[in-house]
Amino acid sequence: MAQPDLRSMEMKDSSDFEFDDLQGLLRFGYGKLTDTSFMLLNIVNADLAKKWLETAPISSALTQDPPPETALQIAFSVEGLRALGLEESVVEGFSDEFIVGMAGDESRSRRLGDVGSNAPQQWKWGGHAAQVPHVLLLLYATKGGIDAWQKTIEGEHFSNAFELLQELPTLYIGDIEPFGFPDSISQPTVDWMQRQSTDTHERDRYSNLLAPGEIVLGYRNEYGQYTARPLIDPRKDKLATVLPGAEEDPPLKDFGRNGTYLVLRQLSQDVPGFWQFLDQVADHIPEKREQLAAAMVGRELDGTPLVPAHIPGISRKEYENDFTYDQDPKGNYCPLGAHVRRSNPRTGDLPTSACGPLDRVIKILGFGQRPDEDLIASSRFHRLLRRGRTYGPALAPKDAIERHAPVAERGIQFICLVGNISRQFEFVQNAWTMNSKFDGVQDEKDPMLGNREPLMSGESTDHFNSPDPAGPMRTTCHLPQFVATLGGGYFFMPGLRALKYISALPANRTGSPS
């Protein structure tokens, strides 16, 4: 049966934000649409690809009542945009990291931790230019509905326009990731109403609310500025009249507005190896095994943070995400090198002890600093909006330990949406996740995501330190690599008006295949 056009069911939102021009993934995680198909495509006929794009039911960010049973999202690599005929002068307006690509140079790979067994040369896709797909197509459906939805999408124009390079595996296993911990608990909330100030003089504490420009291009970010993106002079390009105007330069049309950068990484997780290693280190004592796992992750298996609640009267649900590490500067509760602490240190612009105007001046000048005070960069400039999905069958820790579970590939198709690839995804990956000196730790990387490669000095990074307030530091040595990168790429997810612009590009534009 033909699927309804999602755009015909859209309801008007109370906010005046341009939700009708955003792809829905920017606003919704589509959690109730448990069946997914992530398709990596190459464009083999640009004209037919644009014809398909003209009528494709791309889901917007408008709310719908009742909620949709299917959704479709689309993003392009830089080569995909070129293949569709986007002028090079427009392409040059994108960020360098998007144009060069995730695996485009050795320096970037080293910063991202993509070395050794994680090196792009080992990837299944995306490791060199010929492996980078033109298009990422994301399909979502309610349970049991993905096959019918996919057949509806793959009409005549589609099959002649695109070549399927790979369909990435996905499998819903509940609200957990393959190691068994609750996933996507800590997500930033986008300040769609733009009510929160971005002034650093008003933001000395951690906030989970982010300026729209941190995630969506064309709006002010946490610096109160607009991220660079492709702007088009409509006097030189009549097709650009379909695009929205640039807020900071209204005479120009904004190709990037209501779009976002999409980072995709296929991460394989060695679930049996993780739990078997911990079981051996814990002398086969379940309580010790789970304590060590929680210390490495930074949360209990049920999602409870390791830091004590500091706000009286809040609910358990609020406590899962409404906390900071201000009361745990030495990592006595949550180790400094724990995965969730590295991923989001929950810091403000200034230490919380800077209360009054004079205190603020003293802190800004660098005086009066306690030795144990957290000097990690302010979290609000480096947040990610995650939209990934798991793959592979669930495997409970007790079953993983017994070594009888059937062999299967498991992991996450990691997806995050950002307004600035370098300042957000690459910063988190380089300065926090893979940094062997993060927050004062010594020669250790993320215990979950780390690649275990030695430093250039030869020092090993395959250990994890967990302070014990009642005794000496507890060190776990010889950690195996639990997560491996199998593929990755940088994509641009345009706004719906930008998609209309792309679909109208003439066939003879520079970059269009002959």
PDB file of all heavy atoms in Angstrom, residues 82-118:
ATOM      1  N   ARG A  82      28.588  17.638  -5.241  1.00  0.00           N
ATOM      2  CA  ARG A  82      29.227  17.936  -6.527  1.00  0.00           C
ATOM      3  C   ARG A  82      28.594  17.114  -7.653  1.00  0.00           C
ATOM      4  O   ARG A  82      28.383  17.622  -8.754  1.00  0.00           O
ATOM      5  CB  ARG A  82      30.727  17.643  -6.431  1.00  0.00           C
ATOM      6  CG  ARG A  82      31.515  18.687  -5.639  1.00  0.00           C
ATOM      7  CD  ARG A  82      32.933  18.240  -5.396  1.00  0.00           C
ATOM      8  NE  ARG A  82      33.750  19.308  -4.814  1.00  0.00           N
ATOM      9  CZ  ARG A  82      34.794  19.108  -4.025  1.00  0.00           C
ATOM     10  NH1 ARG A  82      35.160  17.858  -3.724  1.00  0.00           N
ATOM     11  NH2 ARG A  82      35.478  20.127  -3.543  1.00  0.00           N
ATOM     12  N   ALA A  83      28.299  15.849  -7.367  1.00  0.00           N
ATOM     13  CA  ALA A  83      27.700  14.992  -8.381  1.00  0.00           C
ATOM     14  C   ALA A  83      26.333  15.506  -8.821  1.00  0.00           C
ATOM     15  O   ALA A  83      25.916  15.301  -9.958  1.00  0.00           O
ATOM     16  CB  ALA A  83      27.582  13.566  -7.854  1.00  0.00           C
ATOM     17  N   LEU A  84      25.631  16.196  -7.925  1.00  0.00           N
ATOM     18  CA  LEU A  84      24.324  16.753  -8.252  1.00  0.00           C
ATOM     19  C   LEU A  84      24.426  18.100  -8.960  1.00  0.00           C
ATOM     20  O   LEU A  84      23.411  18.671  -9.355  1.00  0.00           O
ATOM     21  CB  LEU A  84      23.487  16.900  -6.984  1.00  0.00           C
ATOM     22  CG  LEU A  84      22.990  15.576  -6.388  1.00  0.00           C
ATOM     23  CD1 LEU A  84      22.424  15.799  -4.992  1.00  0.00           C
ATOM     24  CD2 LEU A  84      21.950  14.933  -7.286  1.00  0.00           C
ATOM     25  N   GLY A  85      25.639  18.616  -9.104  1.00  0.00           N
ATOM     26  CA  GLY A  85      25.837  19.835  -9.863  1.00  0.00           C
ATOM     27  C   GLY A  85      25.968  21.095  -9.039  1.00  0.00           C
ATOM     28  O   GLY A  85      25.858  22.204  -9.587  1.00  0.00           O
ATOM     29  N   LEU A  86      26.187  20.985  -7.740  1.00  0.00           N
ATOM     30  CA  LEU A  86      26.365  22.185  -6.923  1.00  0.00           C
ATOM     31  C   LEU A  86      27.645  22.895  -7.330  1.00  0.00           C
ATOM     32  O   LEU A  86      28.710  22.267  -7.418  1.00  0.00           O
ATOM     33  CB  LEU A  86      26.414  21.815  -5.440  1.00  0.00           C
ATOM     34  CG  LEU A  86      26.245  22.969  -4.447  1.00  0.00           C
ATOM     35  CD1 LEU A  86      24.832  23.541  -4.534  1.00  0.00           C
ATOM     36  CD2 LEU A  86      26.524  22.501  -3.020  1.00  0.00           C
ATOM     37  N   GLU A  87      27.550  24.187  -7.597  1.00  0.00           N
ATOM     38  CA  GLU A  87      28.708  24.965  -8.040  1.00  0.00           C
ATOM     39  C   GLU A  87      29.830  24.911  -7.009  1.00  0.00           C
ATOM     40  O   GLU A  87      29.588  24.916  -5.799  1.00  0.00           O
ATOM     41  CB  GLU A  87      28.311  26.423  -8.284  1.00  0.00           C
ATOM     42  CG  GLU A  87      27.365  26.631  -9.447  1.00  0.00           C
ATOM     43  CD  GLU A  87      28.078  26.614 -10.792  1.00  0.00           C
ATOM     44  OE1 GLU A  87      29.268  26.257 -10.820  1.00  0.00           O
ATOM     45  OE2 GLU A  87      27.438  26.951 -11.794  1.00  0.00           O
ATOM     46  N   GLU A  88      31.065  24.879  -7.492  1.00  0.00           N
ATOM     47  CA  GLU A  88      32.207  24.819  -6.588  1.00  0.00           C
ATOM     48  C   GLU A  88      32.279  26.057  -5.700  1.00  0.00           C
ATOM     49  O   GLU A  88      32.742  25.997  -4.560  1.00  0.00           O
ATOM     50  CB  GLU A  88      33.495  24.651  -7.384  1.00  0.00           C
ATOM     51  CG  GLU A  88      34.683  24.150  -6.566  1.00  0.00           C
ATOM     52  CD  GLU A  88      34.449  22.770  -5.961  1.00  0.00           C
ATOM     53  OE1 GLU A  88      33.684  21.975  -6.541  1.00  0.00           O
ATOM     54  OE2 GLU A  88      35.030  22.490  -4.895  1.00  0.00           O
ATOM     55  N   SER A  89      31.802  27.193  -6.208  1.00  0.00           N
ATOM     56  CA  SER A  89      31.800  28.415  -5.397  1.00  0.00           C
ATOM     57  C   SER A  89      30.883  28.269  -4.186  1.00  0.00           C
ATOM     58  O   SER A  89      31.114  28.895  -3.140  1.00  0.00           O
ATOM     59  CB  SER A  89      31.346  29.610  -6.243  1.00  0.00           C
ATOM     60  OG  SER A  89      30.043  29.398  -6.764  1.00  0.00           O
ATOM     61  N   VAL A  90      29.842  27.447  -4.310  1.00  0.00           N
ATOM     62  CA  VAL A  90      28.958  27.178  -3.170  1.00  0.00           C
ATOM     63  C   VAL A  90      29.610  26.148  -2.253  1.00  0.00           C
ATOM     64  O   VAL A  90      29.610  26.297  -1.032  1.00  0.00           O
ATOM     65  CB  VAL A  90      27.582  26.682  -3.651  1.00  0.00           C
ATOM     66  CG1 VAL A  90      26.672  26.389  -2.455  1.00  0.00           C
ATOM     67  CG2 VAL A  90      26.940  27.710  -4.574  1.00  0.00           C
ATOM     68  N   VAL A  91      30.180  25.111  -2.824  1.00  0.00           N
ATOM     69  CA  VAL A  91      30.856  24.071  -2.040  1.00  0.00           C
ATOM     70  C   VAL A  91      31.934  24.681  -1.149  1.00  0.00           C
ATOM     71  O   VAL A  91      32.103  24.288   0.015  1.00  0.00           O
ATOM     72  CB  VAL A  91      31.473  23.006  -2.967  1.00  0.00           C
ATOM     73  CG1 VAL A  91      32.375  22.048  -2.180  1.00  0.00           C
ATOM     74  CG2 VAL A  91      30.370  22.230  -3.683  1.00  0.00           C
ATOM     75  N   GLU A  92      32.635  25.682  -1.661  1.00  0.00           N
ATOM     76  CA  GLU A  92      33.723  26.305  -0.903  1.00  0.00           C
ATOM     77  C   GLU A  92      33.242  27.005   0.363  1.00  0.00           C
ATOM     78  O   GLU A  92      34.038  27.311   1.252  1.00  0.00           O
ATOM     79  CB  GLU A  92      34.464  27.303  -1.793  1.00  0.00           C
ATOM     80  CG  GLU A  92      35.286  26.633  -2.898  1.00  0.00           C
ATOM     81  CD  GLU A  92      35.831  27.635  -3.904  1.00  0.00           C
ATOM     82  OE1 GLU A  92      35.479  28.837  -3.783  1.00  0.00           O
ATOM     83  OE2 GLU A  92      36.577  27.217  -4.803  1.00  0.00           O
ATOM     84  N   GLY A  93      31.936  27.245   0.468  1.00  0.00           N
ATOM     85  CA  GLY A  93      31.402  27.869   1.671  1.00  0.00           C
ATOM     86  C   GLY A  93      31.264  26.914   2.844  1.00  0.00           C
ATOM     87  O   GLY A  93      31.045  27.343   3.980  1.00  0.00           O
ATOM     88  N   PHE A  94      31.384  25.616   2.595  1.00  0.00           N
ATOM     89  CA  PHE A  94      31.321  24.643   3.677  1.00  0.00           C
ATOM     90  C   PHE A  94      32.643  24.626   4.447  1.00  0.00           C
ATOM     91  O   PHE A  94      33.669  25.132   3.988  1.00  0.00           O
ATOM     92  CB  PHE A  94      31.038  23.245   3.122  1.00  0.00           C
ATOM     93  CG  PHE A  94      29.614  23.028   2.686  1.00  0.00           C
ATOM     94  CD1 PHE A  94      29.290  22.958   1.340  1.00  0.00           C
ATOM     95  CD2 PHE A  94      28.597  22.891   3.619  1.00  0.00           C
ATOM     96  CE1 PHE A  94      27.986  22.752   0.925  1.00  0.00           C
ATOM     97  CE2 PHE A  94      27.292  22.688   3.225  1.00  0.00           C
ATOM     98  CZ  PHE A  94      26.981  22.625   1.879  1.00  0.00           C
ATOM     99  N   SER A  95      32.621  24.001   5.605  1.00  0.00           N
ATOM    100  CA  SER A  95      33.823  23.918   6.441  1.00  0.00           C
ATOM    101  C   SER A  95      34.871  23.031   5.785  1.00  0.00           C
ATOM    102  O   SER A  95      34.549  22.110   5.028  1.00  0.00           O
ATOM    103  CB  SER A  95      33.473  23.368   7.821  1.00  0.00           C
ATOM    104  OG  SER A  95      33.044  22.019   7.722  1.00  0.00           O
ATOM    105  N   ASP A  96      36.128  23.296   6.100  1.00  0.00           N
ATOM    106  CA  ASP A  96      37.232  22.510   5.526  1.00  0.00           C
ATOM    107  C   ASP A  96      37.119  21.038   5.880  1.00  0.00           C
ATOM    108  O   ASP A  96      37.390  20.167   5.047  1.00  0.00           O
ATOM    109  CB  ASP A  96      38.577  23.054   6.019  1.00  0.00           C
ATOM    110  CG  ASP A  96      38.913  24.404   5.412  1.00  0.00           C
ATOM    111  OD1 ASP A  96      38.279  24.778   4.402  1.00  0.00           O
ATOM    112  OD2 ASP A  96      39.803  25.088   5.954  1.00  0.00           O
ATOM    113  N   GLU A  97      36.729  20.741   7.119  1.00  0.00           N
ATOM    114  CA  GLU A  97      36.663  19.337   7.532  1.00  0.00           C
ATOM    115  C   GLU A  97      35.596  18.577   6.746  1.00  0.00           C
ATOM    116  O   GLU A  97      35.776  17.401   6.409  1.00  0.00           O
ATOM    117  CB  GLU A  97      36.435  19.204   9.040  1.00  0.00           C
ATOM    118  CG  GLU A  97      35.310  20.021   9.617  1.00  0.00           C
ATOM    119  CD  GLU A  97      35.719  21.447   9.988  1.00  0.00           C
ATOM    120  OE1 GLU A  97      36.803  21.879   9.582  1.00  0.00           O
ATOM    121  OE2 GLU A  97      34.927  22.112  10.686  1.00  0.00           O
ATOM    122  N   PHE A  98      34.493  19.236   6.409  1.00  0.00           N
ATOM    123  CA  PHE A  98      33.478  18.575   5.593  1.00  0.00           C
ATOM    124  C   PHE A  98      33.998  18.336   4.179  1.00  0.00           C
ATOM    125  O   PHE A  98      33.797  17.262   3.601  1.00  0.00           O
ATOM    126  CB  PHE A  98      32.211  19.434   5.543  1.00  0.00           C
ATOM    127  CG  PHE A  98      31.173  18.943   4.566  1.00  0.00           C
ATOM    128  CD1 PHE A  98      30.488  17.758   4.792  1.00  0.00           C
ATOM    129  CD2 PHE A  98      30.892  19.655   3.407  1.00  0.00           C
ATOM    130  CE1 PHE A  98      29.540  17.294   3.889  1.00  0.00           C
ATOM    131  CE2 PHE A  98      29.949  19.208   2.503  1.00  0.00           C
ATOM    132  CZ  PHE A  98      29.266  18.020   2.749  1.00  0.00           C
ATOM    133  N   ILE A  99      34.686  19.322   3.614  1.00  0.00           N
ATOM    134  CA  ILE A  99      35.192  19.197   2.250  1.00  0.00           C
ATOM    135  C   ILE A  99      36.288  18.137   2.167  1.00  0.00           C
ATOM    136  O   ILE A  99      36.308  17.301   1.251  1.00  0.00           O
ATOM    137  CB  ILE A  99      35.724  20.557   1.746  1.00  0.00           C
ATOM    138  CG1 ILE A  99      34.556  21.557   1.629  1.00  0.00           C
ATOM    139  CG2 ILE A  99      36.434  20.412   0.409  1.00  0.00           C
ATOM    140  CD1 ILE A  99      34.993  22.971   1.306  1.00  0.00           C
ATOM    141  N   VAL A 100      37.199  18.117   3.117  1.00  0.00           N
ATOM    142  CA  VAL A 100      38.311  17.153   3.105  1.00  0.00           C
ATOM    143  C   VAL A 100      37.823  15.754   3.472  1.00  0.00           C
ATOM    144  O   VAL A 100      38.273  14.750   2.913  1.00  0.00           O
ATOM    145  CB  VAL A 100      39.426  17.615   4.059  1.00  0.00           C
ATOM    146  CG1 VAL A 100      40.516  16.549   4.169  1.00  0.00           C
ATOM    147  CG2 VAL A 100      40.026  18.928   3.580  1.00  0.00           C
ATOM    148  N   GLY A 101      36.895  15.666   4.421  1.00  0.00           N
ATOM    149  CA  GLY A 101      36.345  14.379   4.809  1.00  0.00           C
ATOM    150  C   GLY A 101      36.972  13.805   6.065  1.00  0.00           C
ATOM    151  O   GLY A 101      38.079  14.184   6.463  1.00  0.00           O
ATOM    152  N   MET A 102      36.277  12.874   6.681  1.00  0.00           N
ATOM    153  CA  MET A 102      36.730  12.278   7.933  1.00  0.00           C
ATOM    154  C   MET A 102      38.079  11.577   7.783  1.00  0.00           C
ATOM    155  O   MET A 102      38.927  11.607   8.680  1.00  0.00           O
ATOM    156  CB  MET A 102      35.682  11.294   8.450  1.00  0.00           C
ATOM    157  CG  MET A 102      36.007  10.671   9.795  1.00  0.00           C
ATOM    158  SD  MET A 102      34.752   9.479  10.326  1.00  0.00           S
ATOM    159  CE  MET A 102      33.366  10.557  10.660  1.00  0.00           C
ATOM    160  N   ALA A 103      38.277  10.909   6.654  1.00  0.00           N
ATOM    161  CA  ALA A 103      39.523  10.162   6.435  1.00  0.00           C
ATOM    162  C   ALA A 103      40.403  10.858   5.402  1.00  0.00           C
ATOM    163  O   ALA A 103      41.252  10.213   4.778  1.00  0.00           O
ATOM    164  CB  ALA A 103      39.206   8.741   5.983  1.00  0.00           C
ATOM    165  N   GLY A 104      40.234  12.174   5.252  1.00  0.00           N
ATOM    166  CA  GLY A 104      40.906  12.893   4.177  1.00  0.00           C
ATOM    167  C   GLY A 104      42.371  13.172   4.385  1.00  0.00           C
ATOM    168  O   GLY A 104      43.087  13.461   3.418  1.00  0.00           O
ATOM    169  N   ASP A 105      42.862  13.147   5.629  1.00  0.00           N
ATOM    170  CA  ASP A 105      44.297  13.351   5.839  1.00  0.00           C
ATOM    171  C   ASP A 105      44.748  12.640   7.111  1.00  0.00           C
ATOM    172  O   ASP A 105      43.950  12.375   8.012  1.00  0.00           O
ATOM    173  CB  ASP A 105      44.648  14.845   5.897  1.00  0.00           C
ATOM    174  CG  ASP A 105      43.986  15.569   7.059  1.00  0.00           C
ATOM    175  OD1 ASP A 105      44.366  15.306   8.210  1.00  0.00           O
ATOM    176  OD2 ASP A 105      43.099  16.408   6.821  1.00  0.00           O
ATOM    177  N   GLU A 106      46.031  12.309   7.161  1.00  0.00           N
ATOM    178  CA  GLU A 106      46.567  11.526   8.273  1.00  0.00           C
ATOM    179  C   GLU A 106      46.483  12.271   9.596  1.00  0.00           C
ATOM    180  O   GLU A 106      46.282  11.674  10.644  1.00  0.00           O
ATOM    181  CB  GLU A 106      48.020  11.139   7.974  1.00  0.00           C
ATOM    182  CG  GLU A 106      48.174  10.150   6.821  1.00  0.00           C
ATOM    183  CD  GLU A 106      49.614   9.730   6.618  1.00  0.00           C
ATOM    184  OE1 GLU A 106      50.456  10.090   7.470  1.00  0.00           O
ATOM    185  OE2 GLU A 106      49.898   9.041   5.626  1.00  0.00           O
ATOM    186  N   SER A 107      46.654  13.591   9.541  1.00  0.00           N
ATOM    187  CA  SER A 107      46.604  14.384  10.765  1.00  0.00           C
ATOM    188  C   SER A 107      45.228  14.278  11.419  1.00  0.00           C
ATOM    189  O   SER A 107      45.120  14.110  12.634  1.00  0.00           O
ATOM    190  CB  SER A 107      46.932  15.848  10.455  1.00  0.00           C
ATOM    191  OG  SER A 107      46.815  16.645  11.619  1.00  0.00           O
ATOM    192  N   ARG A 108      44.177  14.387  10.609  1.00  0.00           N
ATOM    193  CA  ARG A 108      42.830  14.267  11.161  1.00  0.00           C
ATOM    194  C   ARG A 108      42.611  12.868  11.730  1.00  0.00           C
ATOM    195  O   ARG A 108      42.045  12.715  12.811  1.00  0.00           O
ATOM    196  CB  ARG A 108      41.788  14.592  10.091  1.00  0.00           C
ATOM    197  CG  ARG A 108      40.341  14.276  10.522  1.00  0.00           C
ATOM    198  CD  ARG A 108      39.292  14.929   9.663  1.00  0.00           C
ATOM    199  NE  ARG A 108      39.233  16.358   9.916  1.00  0.00           N
ATOM    200  CZ  ARG A 108      39.685  17.296   9.089  1.00  0.00           C
ATOM    201  NH1 ARG A 108      40.211  16.948   7.929  1.00  0.00           N
ATOM    202  NH2 ARG A 108      39.607  18.565   9.397  1.00  0.00           N
ATOM    203  N   SER A 109      43.034  11.855  11.022  1.00  0.00           N
ATOM    204  CA  SER A 109      42.874  10.483  11.517  1.00  0.00           C
ATOM    205  C   SER A 109      43.579  10.301  12.847  1.00  0.00           C
ATOM    206  O   SER A 109      43.049   9.666  13.765  1.00  0.00           O
ATOM    207  CB  SER A 109      43.421   9.482  10.488  1.00  0.00           C
ATOM    208  OG  SER A 109      42.662   9.505   9.294  1.00  0.00           O
ATOM    209  N   ARG A 110      44.755  10.872  12.978  1.00  0.00           N
ATOM    210  CA  ARG A 110      45.487  10.754  14.234  1.00  0.00           C
ATOM    211  C   ARG A 110      44.738  11.459  15.365  1.00  0.00           C
ATOM    212  O   ARG A 110      44.629  10.934  16.482  1.00  0.00           O
ATOM    213  CB  ARG A 110      46.892  11.341  14.065  1.00  0.00           C
ATOM    214  CG  ARG A 110      47.794  11.140  15.288  1.00  0.00           C
ATOM    215  CD  ARG A 110      49.218  11.533  14.988  1.00  0.00           C
ATOM    216  NE  ARG A 110      49.342  12.939  14.581  1.00  0.00           N
ATOM    217  CZ  ARG A 110      49.589  13.344  13.350  1.00  0.00           C
ATOM    218  NH1 ARG A 110      49.730  12.459  12.373  1.00  0.00           N
ATOM    219  NH2 ARG A 110      49.694  14.627  13.061  1.00  0.00           N
ATOM    220  N   ARG A 111      44.199  12.644  15.094  1.00  0.00           N
ATOM    221  CA  ARG A 111      43.470  13.381  16.127  1.00  0.00           C
ATOM    222  C   ARG A 111      42.198  12.644  16.553  1.00  0.00           C
ATOM    223  O   ARG A 111      41.808  12.691  17.724  1.00  0.00           O
ATOM    224  CB  ARG A 111      43.108  14.785  15.634  1.00  0.00           C
ATOM    225  CG  ARG A 111      44.311  15.682  15.376  1.00  0.00           C
ATOM    226  CD  ARG A 111      43.898  17.132  15.240  1.00  0.00           C
ATOM    227  NE  ARG A 111      42.933  17.359  14.184  1.00  0.00           N
ATOM    228  CZ  ARG A 111      43.253  17.603  12.919  1.00  0.00           C
ATOM    229  NH1 ARG A 111      44.528  17.606  12.557  1.00  0.00           N
ATOM    230  NH2 ARG A 111      42.320  17.831  12.021  1.00  0.00           N
ATOM    231  N   LEU A 112      41.569  11.974  15.602  1.00  0.00           N
ATOM    232  CA  LEU A 112      40.333  11.262  15.917  1.00  0.00           C
ATOM    233  C   LEU A 112      40.582   9.902  16.559  1.00  0.00           C
ATOM    234  O   LEU A 112      39.648   9.227  16.977  1.00  0.00           O
ATOM    235  CB  LEU A 112      39.502  11.070  14.634  1.00  0.00           C
ATOM    236  CG  LEU A 112      38.969  12.338  13.972  1.00  0.00           C
ATOM    237  CD1 LEU A 112      38.175  11.976  12.727  1.00  0.00           C
ATOM    238  CD2 LEU A 112      38.114  13.149  14.933  1.00  0.00           C
ATOM    239  N   GLY A 113      41.837   9.485  16.620  1.00  0.00           N
ATOM    240  CA  GLY A 113      42.151   8.165  17.163  1.00  0.00           C
ATOM    241  C   GLY A 113      42.010   7.058  16.147  1.00  0.00           C
ATOM    242  O   GLY A 113      42.005   5.873  16.499  1.00  0.00           O
ATOM    243  N   ASP A 114      41.905   7.432  14.866  1.00  0.00           N
ATOM    244  CA  ASP A 114      41.754   6.441  13.795  1.00  0.00           C
ATOM    245  C   ASP A 114      43.125   5.991  13.307  1.00  0.00           C
ATOM    246  O   ASP A 114      43.554   6.294  12.186  1.00  0.00           O
ATOM    247  CB  ASP A 114      40.925   7.029  12.650  1.00  0.00           C
ATOM    248  CG  ASP A 114      39.490   7.292  13.061  1.00  0.00           C
ATOM    249  OD1 ASP A 114      39.018   6.638  14.006  1.00  0.00           O
ATOM    250  OD2 ASP A 114      38.841   8.165  12.452  1.00  0.00           O
ATOM    251  N   VAL A 115      43.812   5.279  14.170  1.00  0.00           N
ATOM    252  CA  VAL A 115      45.150   4.764  13.870  1.00  0.00           C
ATOM    253  C   VAL A 115      45.190   3.283  14.244  1.00  0.00           C
ATOM    254  O   VAL A 115      44.283   2.765  14.888  1.00  0.00           O
ATOM    255  CB  VAL A 115      46.232   5.547  14.643  1.00  0.00           C
ATOM    256  CG1 VAL A 115      46.284   7.000  14.188  1.00  0.00           C
ATOM    257  CG2 VAL A 115      45.970   5.500  16.155  1.00  0.00           C
ATOM    258  N   GLY A 116      46.248   2.611  13.834  1.00  0.00           N
ATOM    259  CA  GLY A 116      46.375   1.190  14.143  1.00  0.00           C
ATOM    260  C   GLY A 116      45.248   0.404  13.512  1.00  0.00           C
ATOM    261  O   GLY A 116      44.935   0.561  12.332  1.00  0.00           O
ATOM    262  N   SER A 117      44.585  -0.426  14.309  1.00  0.00           N
ATOM    263  CA  SER A 117      43.479  -1.220  13.772  1.00  0.00           C
ATOM    264  C   SER A 117      42.264  -0.374  13.433  1.00  0.00           C
ATOM    265  O   SER A 117      41.343  -0.840  12.753  1.00  0.00           O
ATOM    266  CB  SER A 117      43.081  -2.312  14.786  1.00  0.00           C
ATOM    267  OG  SER A 117      42.659  -1.717  16.004  1.00  0.00           O
ATOM    268  N   ASN A 118      42.237   0.867  13.909  1.00  0.00           N
ATOM    269  CA  ASN A 118      41.134   1.787  13.603  1.00  0.00           C
ATOM    270  C   ASN A 118      41.410   2.638  12.370  1.00  0.00           C
ATOM    271  O   ASN A 118      40.557   3.455  11.985  1.00  0.00           O
ATOM    272  CB  ASN A 118      40.882   2.745  14.771  1.00  0.00           C
ATOM    273  CG  ASN A 118      40.054   2.105  15.874  1.00  0.00           C
ATOM    274  OD1 ASN A 118      39.648   0.964  15.770  1.00  0.00           O
ATOM    275  ND2 ASN A 118      39.813   2.857  16.927  1.00  0.00           N
TER     276      ASN A 118
END
